[in-house]
Amino acid sequence: MTPLIYSTLIISLGIGTTLTFASTHWYLAWMGIEINTLAIIPLMTQSHSPRATEATTKYFFAQATASATLLFAATSNAFFTGSWDILQTNNPLTYTLMTLAMAMKIGLAPLHSWMPEVMQGLTLLTGLILSTWQKLAPFCLIYQIQPHSPNLFMALGLLSIVAGGWGGFNQVQLRKILAYSSIAHLGWMVLILSFSPPLTLVAFSTYLMMTFSLFYSFMMTKTTHINSLSTSWAKIPTLTALTPLILLSLGGLPPLTGFLPKWMILQELTKQDLALVAVLAALFSLFSLYFYLRLSYAMTLTMPPNNPAGTLPWRLNPSHNTLPP
């Protein structure tokens, strides 16, 4: 891919997200999301591998389904209310369809099954864009239509926390683990969205910062499998020493950064007389903490295979194997 085409696609990603951010009209917001989708599809296929093609096809079908549902819901809402304004989404049917369409776009459970499979077929850089930038525009729309149905958002949030934690249990591919981590963290944000939107923004900002740091660490050490984490010490020791702190922060262990948003969310749920929901969210988050600890263990407490004889010069250089005359 030439630099000109690559720059055009990156600029298109920015334009699409900015258009959705600045829109109060459903059609313009939908157009911004479509520009985003069309811009990232060539980035997904730049490795020209069958796995990347498969991931791109799955992503396209999932996003096309969500976009068609969103456009249908926006048109129906305009028919019922006479307005295309995003804030005038008062019809229960169209509101539910819009929420589910946005949930599919960002990968909320139970509409999340495409996310791990797509992430597995992408490079770490494209996966970073999919896990961070591509969630901004749909999340902006969810943020604007959120006040109408807290029960729907709580159900989506709890399901996402469970699916994100449970799905990452037996995974050995880092990209799939990062996908399930994204699903679980989005569940926390959606869970509190109806009660404290500013707290959702705090959790989302923290998630973006920690996810970017973790992807950057894996890109620098060129690791995509849990078995290769033990060899990252020999590549960049300083960065490898800091990565477990990022993982534990994502898991929400005190006194790290990721603990504060979760603690504030649990506190707000308790103030809203939703102690049972807070307890369930805290218990289900232990699933995610398990695979974060597993990755931290693989990076810090395991050693790579040590085979000095396999690296001796006489084994690597065939000319040394010949007998002298």
Side-chain angles (χ1 to χ4, degrees):
M1 184 178 294
T2 64
L4 178 60
I5 295 176
Y6 190 80
S7 301
T8 303
L9 296 176
I10 296 298
I11 293 172
S12 299
L13 286 175
I15 291 175
T17 303
T18 305
L19 181 61
T20 302
F21 277 8
S23 299
T24 58
H25 194 285
W26 270 115
Y27 189 71
L28 290 177
W30 174 82
M31 187 181 301
I33 292 177
E34 288 306 292
I35 292 174
N36 255 2
T37 302
L38 294 176
I40 199 175
I41 284 177
L43 295 176
M44 290 181 169
T45 57
Q46 60 181 330
S47 61
H48 301 294
S49 65
R51 192 68 183 87
T53 304
E54 178 187 353
T56 306
T57 305
K58 290 179 179 179
Y59 179 78
F60 175 77
F61 283 138
Q63 297 299 307
T65 303
S67 295
T69 305
L70 177 62
L71 187 60
F72 171 75
T75 307
S76 302
N77 183 71
F79 175 79
F80 289 126
T81 64
S83 173
W84 283 89
D85 194 343
I86 294 177
L87 298 179
Q88 299 298 323
T89 309
N90 299 321
N91 185 273
L93 176 61
T94 58
Y95 169 80
T96 304
L97 286 176
M98 288 175 181
T99 304
L100 294 178
M102 292 299 101
M104 178 177 286
K105 282 225 168 255
I106 63 178
L108 282 174
L111 305 169
H112 68 288
S113 57
W114 62 269
M115 181 77 177
E117 298 299 324
V118 169
M119 282 283 289
Q120 179 58 28
L122 305 180
T123 62
L124 285 172
L125 179 58
T126 311
L128 172 61
I129 297 174
L130 182 63
S131 299
T132 54
W133 187 264
Q134 288 300 99
K135 298 186 185 301
L136 293 177
F139 201 84
C140 174
L141 296 179
I142 290 180
Y143 187 87
Q144 294 183 69
I145 65 174
Q146 51 82 23
H148 301 289
S149 179
N151 292 332
L152 177 60
F153 280 99
M154 282 194 294
L156 290 174
L158 286 176
L159 283 174
S160 298
I161 294 172
V162 175
W166 191 264
F169 252 39
N170 295 324
Q171 300 297 332
V172 294
Q173 297 289 341
L174 296 182
R175 284 165 291 186
K176 281 191 175 183
I177 292 176
L178 291 169
Y180 284 113
S181 170
S182 175
I183 294 168
H185 278 86
L186 287 172
W188 280 92
M189 302 170 208
V190 171
L191 186 63
I192 198 62
L193 184 58
S194 298
F195 306 107
S196 180
L199 186 53
T200 299
L201 293 182
V202 171
F204 192 62
S205 302
T206 307
Y207 160 77
L208 292 179
M209 178 181 63
M210 293 187 297
T211 302
F212 177 82
S213 302
L214 190 58
F215 268 95
Y216 178 78
S217 174
F218 290 153
M219 284 189 289
M220 289 297 100
T221 55
K222 296 185 171 108
T223 52
T224 57
H225 195 278
I226 192 171
N227 290 338
S228 60
L229 288 176
S230 58
T231 63
S232 58
W233 277 103
K235 300 174 184 176
I236 309 178
T238 305
L239 187 61
T240 306
L242 295 176
T243 304
L245 295 178
I246 303 173
L247 289 167
L248 297 178
S249 182
L250 281 167
L253 284 184
L256 301 174
T257 307
F259 167 72
L260 182 61
K262 291 185 177 181
W263 177 70
M264 295 173 67
I265 289 172
L266 295 177
Q267 187 180 35
E268 183 64 28
L269 289 173
T270 306
K271 289 180 180 178
Q272 298 291 335
D273 294 329
L274 295 170
L276 179 60
V277 176
V279 170
L280 291 176
L283 290 177
F284 293 151
S285 67
L286 296 178
F287 296 158
S288 300
L289 181 60
Y290 167 77
F291 60 75
Y292 291 130
L293 288 172
R294 184 183 176 202
L295 294 180
S296 302
Y297 172 81
M299 294 192 73
T300 58
L301 299 177
T302 57
M303 295 295 292
N306 190 8
N307 186 17
T311 59
L312 293 177
W314 62 270
R315 294 179 63 90
L316 298 177
N317 192 350
S319 62
H320 292 169
N321 295 336
T322 59
L323 295 175

